[in-house]
Amino acid sequence: MFYEIRRYQSRPGRRAEWIRYMEDVVIPFQSAAGMTVTASFADDQDEDGYLWVRRFEDEAQRKALYAAVYETDRWKNEIGPVVYGLLPEKSVVTRVTPTPASPLQ
């Protein structure tokens, strides 16, 4: 099992709008497709920063879920364009594996 930590920078002054869209549309859509979203955070030290975390059982599951989300017409035609309008191309994705004593194991 591993986690994907995704850190985004919303367009200046639009983080609240981004978080609403994430919580109302993106996370429910991805969850319905089988994604496990384990956390969603507003960055207290960056007024435009946002971070969320997804969990995958293995690389095969990650690939399948990426396809189930990002290759759909709804993502391509409806959700994706809104996302790309709220976020510039600045994001960082970090893949992490819990240590043996981690409660997230």
Side-chain angles (χ1 to χ4, degrees):
M1 171 190 13
F2 63 91
Y3 291 82
E4 201 179 66
I5 300 171
R6 304 179 70 87
R7 187 180 191 318
Y8 298 156
Q9 209 51 33
S10 66
R11 294 200 184 275
R14 297 185 74 185
R15 183 174 71 182
E17 181 181 358
W18 166 249
I19 290 172
R20 277 192 305 277
Y21 195 71
M22 278 295 290
E23 292 182 346
D24 293 347
V25 178
V26 176
I27 292 173
F29 173 72
Q30 292 198 9
S31 295
M35 287 278 188
T36 301
V37 177
T38 60
S40 175
F41 302 97
D43 187 330
D44 287 343
Q45 297 176 325
D46 178 350
E47 64 186 21
D48 297 317
Y50 173 80
L51 183 133
W52 65 312
V53 182
R54 299 187 296 193
R55 186 183 76 227
F56 301 95
E57 293 305 317
D58 54 32
E59 182 62 16
Q61 183 198 40
R62 186 197 68 79
K63 285 182 179 179
L65 290 172
Y66 266 49
V69 168
Y70 300 117
E71 293 179 16
T72 65
D73 287 339
R74 183 165 182 221
W75 182 269
K76 291 177 185 176
N77 300 320
E78 178 188 332
I79 298 171
V82 176
V83 167
Y84 305 130
L86 291 167
L87 298 177
E89 291 295 317
K90 185 177 179 184
S91 66
V92 176
V93 179
T94 304
R95 186 169 158 166
V96 296
T97 303
T99 61
S102 173
L104 296 177
Q105 187 60 266

